[in-house]
Amino acid sequence: MKIFSTLEPATRRNLLVLFATGLLFWSSLAALLPTLPLYIRDVGGTKYQVGVVIGAFAVGLLLFRPWLGRLADRRGRRIVLLLGLAAVAIAPLGYLMTQSIPLLIAIRAFHGLSIAAFTTAYSTLVVDLSPPSNRGEVIGYMSLVNPIGVAVGPAMGGFVQAWLGYTPLFLLSAGLGFAGLVSGLWIQAPMLIGPMMADTTKGAFWRLLFSPRLRTPTLAMLLVGLAFGVLSTFVPLFIQEAGVNLNAGLFYTAAAVAGFSVRLLTGRASDRYGRGRFITLGLLLYALTMLLLWSAHSVTAFLLAGLLEGAGTGIFLPLIVALVADRSEAHERGRVFSLCVGGFDLGIAIAGPALGFFAEYIGYRGIFGLASGLAFLSVLVFITQCNKTLPHSLEFALGDGSDQYALPQGD
C-alpha cells in the first residue's frame, strides 16, 4: 500500500477516516443479511412476502438515488454520506418496532436510502481523493470496507440472533450505524470544481443513461444486480431447505474473505493492464457462483460458492467504479455513479418479488438456475458491447485493448 505514503497528509487522513466509516456502515448493514429473511418468515411472511420485503430495499434505492446523485454534485459529497449513515442507524430500530408485513416493506424501503446515499457519496469521494494514475489501486484498497464489513457483520448478526434473539440483533445493527455517523462527521470533503456549472436537472440525469460510455456498464450492473438480489434474499432460506448444517452467515464470511484477497491485487493490476479483462473475469466468476449454487447439496459446495461470489464481486464492482470514473468528469460523478449503480439497484428490486414468485413453483434451487443464466448473459453483453465497435469491445474485454470511451484525466 505504498500509494498512501505518497499522498498529502490531509488526503491520507480523509481516506483513513472514510475507510473506518465505511467499515461501520457495512458491518451494520451486513449484520442483517443472514437474519432478516428469517425474521420476516418467523413473523408470518410467505416465500413471496420475504422476497417483497427484502426487494423493497431497492425501491428506496431507485427512488432516492437520482436525487442523491444530483445533490452530491450540487451540494457536496459529505452531506449525502451523512444522510446514508443516519438512515442505516435508524432503520434497524424500525424492524424492532413492528411485525406487520406492510410496515416492514416501508421500513425496508427507507433502509434502501442508506445504501443509495452512502455508496454514491463514498465512491465519489474516493475517486475525488485518488490520483488518476493510481485510481484503480486506491479504489481497490478503499473498497475493502465492503468485504471486511460483510465478513464481520453476518457472522456477528447470525450468532447474536441465534444466542440472544432479534432484539439484540437490531440494537447491534443500529449501534454500528450510529458509530459510523459519528465517524463520518470528521470527514472533510475536497472542494468541488465548478459544480454550479454542471447541469443537474432531472432530464440531464436520465439522458446520461443513453450515453454509449455508460449504457453497457449500467446494463451489466442490472444483470448482476438480478443475480445478487437472488443471492442476498434466498441463500439463508435455501441452505435451510437443502438440509445443510451451515450458519448462513459463514457463506457471506467466505465471500468476504475472497473479496478481500482479490481487491489487494486487481485494482493495481487494472491501472497497468486495463480494466476490461478483469471485469470480464469478475462477471464469469459470478456466473459460476450461481451455477454452483444451483447444484449445491453440501457445506463444501455452499462455502465454495461463497468464495467464488466474493472473488467475482471483489473484482467486478471496484473496477466498474474505476471504469465509470475513467469515463466521467469530476462535476458529474455523483450523477454518473448513482445512475450506473442504479442498474444494480433495479436488478435487486426486480429479483426479490419477481423471482420470489417463481420460488413458490420451482423452489429456491430453480431460481438460482435462472440467476446463473442472467449472470452468463452479463458476460456476453460486456464482451460484445463495452466499447465503440465489436472488435474494440472484444479487444478491451479479453486483451490489451484501450478504452475508447475514457476521458482525459487531469483533475
Side-chain angles (χ1 to χ4, degrees):
M1 298 187 183
K2 293 180 181 179
I3 179 62
F4 288 97
S5 64
T6 67
L7 301 175
E8 294 290 331
T11 299
R12 187 164 57 245
R13 171 195 166 279
N14 269 319
L15 286 172
L16 289 174
V17 176
L18 188 60
F19 191 91
T21 303
L23 282 179
L24 291 164
F25 174 86
W26 285 110
S27 296
S28 169
L29 200 67
L32 303 181
L33 273 177
T35 50
L36 192 57
L38 304 179
Y39 177 72
I40 299 163
R41 183 201 62 188
D42 290 347
V43 301
T46 64
K47 289 180 179 178
Y48 176 70
Q49 288 173 328
V50 170
V52 170
V53 174
I54 299 299
F57 187 83
V59 173
L61 287 168
L62 292 168
L63 288 176
F64 291 109
R65 179 106 50 191
W67 170 70
L68 291 165
R70 294 192 298 272
L71 184 65
D73 285 337
R74 187 172 62 247
R75 297 289 300 276
R77 329 300 194 193
R78 185 171 179 268
I79 187 172
V80 177
L81 189 84
L82 295 177
L83 280 173
L85 291 163
V88 85
I90 294 169
L93 302 178
Y95 299 128
L96 184 59
M97 295 172 63
T98 185
Q99 296 184 352
S100 162
I101 296 298
L103 287 177
L104 287 172
I105 291 172
I107 294 164
R108 187 65 175 164
F110 171 73
H111 208 174
L113 167 63
S114 68
I115 197 167
F118 185 86
T119 55
T120 296
Y122 186 91
S123 298
T124 309
L125 274 170
V126 169
V127 172
D128 289 345
L129 293 166
S130 304
S133 60
N134 298 98
R135 178 173 288 155
E137 183 177 5
V138 174
I139 290 173
Y141 291 144
M142 292 297 292
S143 71
L144 290 173
V145 295
N146 179 270
I148 296 174
V150 175
V152 174
M156 255 193 321
F159 287 122
V160 168
Q161 187 273 330
W163 295 343
L164 302 174
Y166 288 113
T167 296
L169 165 69
F170 292 131
L171 291 175
L172 168 68
S173 179
L176 290 168
F178 277 111
L181 180 59
V182 173
S183 175
L185 293 172
W186 293 91
I187 294 170
Q188 296 178 349
M191 293 292 293
L192 296 180
I193 300 174
M196 299 309 294
M197 296 188 300
D199 185 355
T200 58
T201 63
K202 291 183 179 180
F205 178 86
W206 291 113
R207 281 197 299 272
L208 288 171
L209 177 62
F210 300 101
S211 168
R213 62 192 166 114
L214 303 177
R215 189 170 52 221
T216 297
T218 303
L219 181 55
M221 289 287 271
L222 169 64
L223 294 169
V224 172
L226 285 165
F228 182 82
V230 172
L231 192 82
S232 60
T233 305
F234 297 113
V235 160
L237 299 170
F238 181 36
I239 290 173
Q240 288 192 354
E241 182 183 78
V244 175
N245 185 23
L246 174 67
N247 178 348
L250 296 178
F251 173 90
Y252 297 104
T253 299
V257 170
F260 179 92
S261 302
V262 299
R263 289 172 203 239
L264 292 173
L265 303 172
T266 53
R268 184 177 182 181
S270 77
D271 287 331
R272 179 175 300 180
Y273 302 112
R275 321 284 190 207
R277 66 178 72 185
F278 296 101
I279 293 173
T280 301
L281 174 60
L283 291 170
L284 279 171
L285 290 173
Y286 219 88
L288 291 173
T289 296
M290 298 302 148
L291 199 60
L292 181 56
L293 284 170
W294 174 61
S295 61
H297 291 89
S298 66
V299 170
T300 301
F302 277 103
L303 291 179
L304 178 58
L307 290 170
L308 288 176
E309 191 274 333
T313 303
I315 296 170
F316 171 71
L317 287 181
L319 295 189
I320 278 288
V321 170
L323 180 72
V324 171
D326 294 342
R327 296 179 174 192
S328 60
E329 302 282 1
H331 64 79
E332 64 179 357
R333 282 184 188 140
R335 289 166 293 144
V336 166
F337 286 155
S338 65
L339 173 64
C340 290
V341 181
F344 192 75
D345 303 340
L346 179 60
I348 297 172
I350 296 171
L355 297 183
F357 173 80
F358 284 111
E360 297 282 357
Y361 300 96
I362 62 177
Y364 296 126
R365 191 175 302 280
I367 61 173
F368 281 103
L370 290 176
S372 69
L374 293 169
F376 277 110
L377 180 59
S378 73
V379 179
L380 181 63
V381 166
F382 184 77
I383 64 175
T384 59
Q385 302 294 320
C386 64
N387 241 300
K388 290 186 176 181
T389 64
L390 178 59
H392 281 131
S393 293
L394 293 172
E395 190 177 4
F396 179 66
L398 302 174
D400 295 321
S402 61
D403 184 5
Q404 302 293 308
Y405 290 121
L407 303 178
Q409 301 293 325
D411 54 294

